[in-house]
């Protein structure tokens, strides 16, 4: 008997996760592709050299003939052919053996345009999917966080990923108010790189900025606690020579203030548009934070402080969306309302 595998994909700006029905999360790799610009073929396109973990290792370390890029920008496909090749690679790796025409469910930013939706569907079909279902990220994150979205009650979820922050109020299994803010983890990294260059004449790479954010990034400094410090290797902008220097979390907190405020403004905007009864529910239940960037130290306290609404980070926030996508593809009939 012919059996089609059901596959869920969280195609993120920073990381791509794949869920296979009956097996769970089988793949978690960076959304990074390395390709050669010398071996371009007008029919076959770019010559892909590495994808995922292997490609990320090359970031900032390649010669001029090799480009390492993120084909997803701010939650949407920026490079169609590269994204399609990447999805094909991840599907083959996740399914291990040749499985024909899997059914694929993929998460998309809330309020994506028809053009963006068609691009995602076409990329999945080109990668070998038979049926492609779309689910909005805030809904998938809420399902993955085990929020009872089918109730006639308001739930607010803020999914802070790599390229976008999805903010939504959900009731009766539908998005009531939602907003996609094109600011998230990668903007934090960029802000750290900028402040070190402007204030201290130090140039660091993308990977180093991400490492700094993960180790000493802090959304709200506690004055009573000693500041965490880290030693960083970079290049002096004026002399051009390598340099080792020390930075503390207060400096990094200042750097990421602007992107944090952009996320906060998005949350306030959604709250201001929420019907009063649902707003009352949110005050009681709090704001649910998910996504990899919600692991930033004290981001829940930062949001609570400036909105007067309790906020909390769910368990394993990085896997919320993919768990939600997986649960939905395994129980299509139960989640018909959530599928596009």
């Amino acid at each position: 008997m012919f059996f089609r595998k059901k596959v869920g994909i969280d195609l993120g700006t920073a990381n791509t996760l794949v869920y296979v029905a009956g097996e769970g999360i089988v793949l978690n790799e960076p959304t990074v592709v390395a390709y050669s610009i010398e071996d371009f073929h007008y029919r076959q396109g770019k010559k892909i050299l590495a994808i995922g973990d292997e490609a990320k290792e090359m970031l900032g370390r390649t010669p001029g003939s090799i480009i390492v890029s993120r084909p997803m920008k701010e939650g949407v496909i920026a490079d169609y052919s590269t994204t399609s090749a990447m999805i094909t690679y991840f599907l083959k790796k996740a399914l291990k053996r040749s499985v024909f025409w899997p059914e694929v469910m993929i998460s998309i930013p809330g309020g994506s345009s028809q053009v963006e939706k068609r691009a995602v569907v076409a990329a999945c079909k080109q990668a070998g999917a038979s049926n492609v279902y779309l689910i909005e990220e805030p809904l998938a994150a809420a399902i993955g966080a085990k929020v009872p979205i089918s109730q006639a009650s308001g739930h607010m979820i803020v999914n802070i990923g790599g390229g976008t922050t999805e903010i939504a109020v959900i009731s009766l299994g539908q998005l009531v108010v939602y907003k996609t803010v094109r600011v998230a983890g990668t903007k934090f990294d960029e802000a750290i790189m900028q402040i070190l260059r402007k204030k201290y004449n130090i140039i660091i790479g993308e990977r180093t900025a991400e490492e700094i954010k993960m180790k000493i990034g802090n959304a709200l400094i506690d004055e009573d606690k000693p500041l965490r410090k880290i030693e960083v290797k970079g290049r002096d902008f004026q002399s051009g020579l390598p340099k080792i220097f020390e930075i503390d979390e207060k400096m990094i907190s200042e750097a990421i203030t602007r992107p944090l405020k952009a996320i906060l403004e998005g949350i306030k905007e959604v709250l201001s548009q929420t019907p009063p009864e649902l707003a009352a529910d949110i005050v009681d239940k709090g704001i649910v934070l998910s996504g990899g960037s919600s692991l930033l130290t004290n981001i829940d306290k930062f949001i609570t402080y400036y909105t007067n609404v309790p906020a909390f980070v769910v368990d394993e926030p990085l896997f919320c969306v993919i768990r939600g996508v997986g649960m939905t593809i395994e129980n299509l009939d139960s989640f018909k309302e959530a599928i596009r």
Side-chain angles (χ1 to χ4, degrees):
M1 185 178 169
F2 183 68
F3 176 69
R4 275 184 184 158
K5 279 274 188 181
K6 290 182 177 179
V7 180
I9 301 175
D10 173 15
L11 190 64
T13 305
N15 292 288
T16 294
L17 294 95
V18 180
Y19 180 105
V20 176
E23 296 177 36
I25 300 165
V26 295
L27 187 139
N28 176 13
E29 291 200 24
T31 311
V32 183
V33 178
Y35 59 89
S36 170
I37 55 171
E38 288 182 345
D39 297 319
F40 183 85
H41 191 277
Y42 77 97
R43 277 189 182 170
Q44 295 167 347
K46 297 164 185 164
K47 185 184 178 184
I48 307 292
L49 301 175
I51 295 172
D53 288 323
E54 202 180 325
K56 194 175 181 183
E57 286 299 313
M58 298 181 182
L59 266 175
R61 293 175 171 152
T62 57
S65 61
I66 296 172
I67 303 290
V68 182
S69 71
R70 297 185 184 271
M72 300 290 293
K73 292 277 189 293
E74 298 177 350
V76 296
I77 294 174
D79 186 333
Y80 177 80
S81 61
T82 309
T83 304
S84 182
M86 184 179 66
I87 294 171
T88 306
Y89 170 82
F90 286 145
L91 280 176
K92 282 182 180 174
K93 191 170 181 180
L95 296 170
K96 291 171 188 148
R97 55 192 180 276
S98 179
V99 177
F100 294 102
W101 308 109
E103 287 190 286
V104 172
M105 175 169 284
I106 193 160
S107 59
I108 54 167
S112 293
S113 69
Q114 288 301 319
V115 173
E116 289 165 353
K117 287 177 184 176
R118 280 198 296 270
V120 172
V121 171
C124 289
K125 292 255 185 185
Q126 195 174 328
S130 57
N131 296 324
V132 181
Y133 305 100
L134 303 178
I135 182 169
E136 284 155 325
E137 267 177 43
L139 278 175
I143 293 165
K146 296 180 181 167
V147 172
I149 62 167
S150 58
Q151 295 177 358
S153 174
H155 301 275
M156 186 173 200
I157 187 139
V158 179
N159 187 64
I160 312 168
T164 60
T165 297
E166 302 287 330
I167 307 158
V169 173
I170 301 167
S171 179
L172 292 168
Q174 295 282 307
L175 301 183
V176 180
V177 188
Y178 59 86
K179 183 175 178 66
T180 297
V181 181
R182 309 280 185 188
V183 174
T186 51
K187 294 292 182 189
F188 295 152
D189 300 342
E190 287 170 18
I192 292 167
M193 289 163 74
Q194 282 173 9
I195 200 167
L196 289 178
R197 182 166 181 163
K198 280 182 184 175
K199 281 196 171 183
Y200 305 97
N201 286 323
I202 299 292
I203 299 171
I204 60 167
E206 198 178 309
R207 290 184 65 194
T208 305
E210 188 180 15
E211 191 181 322
I212 292 167
K213 174 187 70 180
M214 290 165 77
K215 286 186 176 173
I216 62 166
N218 197 334
L220 197 68
I221 295 289
D222 187 342
E223 299 296 340
D224 298 329
K225 288 184 179 178
L227 293 174
R228 293 176 296 170
K229 295 181 180 180
I230 188 174
E231 198 175 73
V232 178
K233 300 177 184 74
R235 178 160 59 86
D236 190 290
F237 181 59
Q238 289 176 324
S239 70
L241 299 173
K243 188 174 181 180
I244 298 172
F245 58 102
E246 191 178 67
I247 54 174
D248 62 39
E249 62 183 330
K250 192 166 188 179
M251 186 193 304
I252 302 307
S253 182
E254 285 172 21
I256 60 176
T257 298
R258 185 176 285 183
L260 278 171
K261 281 186 176 174
I263 292 170
L264 185 66
E265 287 306 311
I267 293 169
K268 286 181 176 177
E269 190 180 323
V270 169
L271 284 169
S272 70
Q273 294 171 8
T274 304
E277 294 296 334
L278 296 181
D281 293 335
I282 292 162
V283 171
D284 287 341
K285 293 166 187 163
I287 298 169
V288 179
L289 303 179
S290 67
S293 296
S294 66
L295 290 166
L296 183 73
T297 306
N298 289 337
I299 196 163
D300 50 347
K301 291 178 182 174
F302 174 84
I303 291 168
T304 301
Y305 182 82
Y306 287 104
T307 61
N308 292 320
V309 180
F312 61 93
V313 181
V314 298
D315 293 333
E316 297 184 310
L318 180 64
F319 303 118
C320 261
V321 172
I322 190 61
R323 274 201 306 256
V325 174
M327 287 164 70
T328 310
I329 190 79
E330 286 194 307
N331 304 280
L332 282 173
D333 292 337
S334 306
F335 293 105
K336 273 182 181 171
E337 292 295 315
I339 301 164
R340 291 283 174 268

